[in-house]
Structures are given as C-alpha cells and as structure tokens.
Amino acid sequence: MEQITKIYSERKRAGEINKEKKRLREIFKNIETNKTALIEKLIEEAAFQAVTLEETRELIKKTGVIEEYQNGANQKGVKKSSAVEVYDKMVNTYSRIIKQLCDLLPAKINFEGEGEKNPAKEIMEYVESMKR
C-alpha cells in the first residue's frame, strides 16, 4: 500500500486555519455580544474543518477516489478511498456547524457599502457547492 504524505505542513495548516478563523469572525462580527462566546468554539471548529476539507480534497485529487485493498491472502479488490470517506463525513459535519452559525445571524445584515445581503444564505450556498 502506498505511503500517504501530508499535503500541508503543520505551519501552513495553522496559517490557513488562522486565515479561515479571521474570515469567519468578520462574517459573524455583527452577532449579539451575548452570543460571541457561543460562536467562538463553532468558528474554531469550522475553520479547522474547512482547512482539513481543502487538504483532503487535494489528497483525493492526487490519489483518486478508489483504492485497492487486500484482506488476507484471497480477499482483495477496490473500494472507496479512505480520503473520500473522511471527506464525506467531514463535509456533513462542517455543513451542520455552518448552519448553526448562520442560524445565529440576524436575517439581514447591512455591511458597509454593500447594501443588504444575507450572509447566512451565501455561506450555505458555498457549503452546498462543496458537497457536489
């Protein structure tokens, strides 16, 4: 079986997670102050998962969606790759976390110079596009 290597170094992964946390905090900065502590843990988890999903997607591009397996001497074949299984489960968890965050947003937020937007809808559209 082929040795799987990391896509990101620990330093790059930490940097990407920090960038994603910053991006998410900006989106959710208008949430009521009494909910800030609540969302911080969700943002931490969402940022980690977003970066891990990106890394897993890159791994899938390199190794493909199926892998060979061998159980003992006589049982072998192909199956969905481990990376695809991880991706499938994590994208669903990520979607639930983002939905929780979006549910905490006011229905519409007026961002400076951007007119009225619904960031919850935009984020959910992005998450749904990741599932395809």
Side-chain angles (χ1 to χ4, degrees):
M1 186 176 252
E2 184 180 319
Q3 174 76 20
I4 296 178
T5 59
K6 294 180 184 179
I7 302 297
Y8 294 160
S9 68
E10 291 303 316
R11 184 178 182 169
K12 177 164 175 68
R13 183 178 298 107
E16 292 297 315
I17 289 170
N18 285 332
K19 279 197 302 193
E20 183 65 9
K21 283 193 283 191
K22 184 178 179 180
R23 187 183 77 80
L24 289 170
R25 284 183 185 123
E26 180 63 26
I27 291 169
F28 295 100
K29 71 181 180 187
N30 294 325
I31 290 184
E32 301 164 26
T33 53
N34 63 338
K35 294 180 182 176
T36 352
L38 174 66
I39 69 160
E40 188 56 34
K41 184 66 177 163
L42 291 172
I43 285 174
E44 293 269 339
E45 193 60 35
F48 171 80
Q49 289 193 9
V51 172
T52 304
L53 284 167
E54 288 173 19
E55 188 173 18
T56 305
R57 194 172 23 245
E58 289 303 314
L59 182 62
I60 292 168
K61 286 179 188 176
K62 281 185 168 185
T63 61
V65 295
I66 60 169
E67 63 188 15
E68 294 180 5
Y69 71 91
Q70 183 164 356
N71 294 336
N74 299 324
Q75 191 178 33
K76 63 182 180 177
V78 294
K79 64 176 186 158
K80 178 170 47 171
S81 78
S82 300
V84 169
E85 289 181 21
V86 167
Y87 188 88
D88 284 346
K89 288 178 184 177
M90 188 170 282
V91 78
N92 288 321
T93 303
Y94 176 74
S95 297
R96 286 192 307 271
I97 291 170
I98 293 298
K99 174 140 180 33
Q100 284 179 290
L101 284 166
C102 290
D103 287 347
L104 295 170
L105 283 171
K108 289 189 177 183
I109 297 175
N110 188 7
F111 289 97
E112 282 183 42
E114 296 182 28
E116 287 191 5
K117 287 192 171 191
N118 187 333
K121 181 179 176 186
E122 291 176 12
I123 291 170
M124 288 310 295
E125 286 172 356
Y126 171 73
V127 169
E128 289 301 317
S129 75
M130 290 177 72
K131 290 183 176 182
R132 295 181 200 143

